Amino acid sequence: MNKKLIVAGALVLGFATAASAQEGTVNGAAGGAVTGAIVGGPVGAAVGGVAGAVVGTVLAPPPRRVVSYVEQQPIPESEVVVKQKVVVGKPLPNRVKIMRIPQDPKYAYAVVNHQRVIVDPSNRTVVRVVD
């Protein structure tokens, strides 16, 4: 019975957050709580909610002004090419130089494998590949 209530509550929370277009942290927490409740009951819901919030925060999409800034930056003369594919959610290798975005220090960018990418400078994780 308790498990059904937790799942139902998490589902309602998930729909409410989607309807009000909250940031990635809230959506990640709700999704993690639902998954955790299904797999591990009340304890799973608590753990899943925390894990989902962390993932949702890390992968929150950058604001449009950040994307525009990166799109307008010139391609450096010496580009870096790496063997692995550049993927959202994965960190860039340390040899890739990242440049801070002056208007929003929460983001930086790099050009790697002939692609502009927006990264979280605290952990070098790719948050968006710019087309």
Side-chain angles (χ1 to χ4, degrees):
M1 179 69 178
N2 286 339
K3 189 174 185 178
K4 289 180 184 178
L5 288 175
I6 291 171
V7 171
L11 286 172
V12 169
L13 177 62
F15 288 128
T17 56
S20 62
Q22 294 293 321
E23 293 296 317
T25 303
V26 176
N27 292 332
V34 170
T35 303
I38 291 169
V39 174
V43 173
V47 172
V50 171
V54 170
V55 170
T57 300
V58 169
L59 300 179
R64 182 69 202 145
R65 70 180 185 283
V66 169
V67 175
S68 295
Y69 177 85
V70 172
E71 290 172 335
Q72 296 170 4
Q73 297 310 301
I75 300 289
E77 290 181 21
S78 59
E79 291 185 59
V80 176
V81 177
V82 296
K83 291 180 183 178
Q84 65 268 28
K85 184 176 179 180
V86 176
V87 179
V88 172
K90 300 289 183 185
L92 291 177
N94 287 333
R95 67 184 184 93
V96 176
K97 180 180 178 186
I98 62 172
M99 284 78 63
R100 296 269 181 172
I101 297 176
Q103 296 87 355
D104 198 333
K106 292 189 313 185
Y107 298 99
Y109 75 97
V111 178
V112 60
N113 293 353
H114 310 291
Q115 295 178 305
R116 290 180 174 99
V117 296
I118 300 173
V119 300
D120 177 345
S122 68
N123 56 18
R124 304 178 64 83
T125 300
V126 175
V127 295
R128 178 160 179 189
V129 177
V130 179
D131 296 326

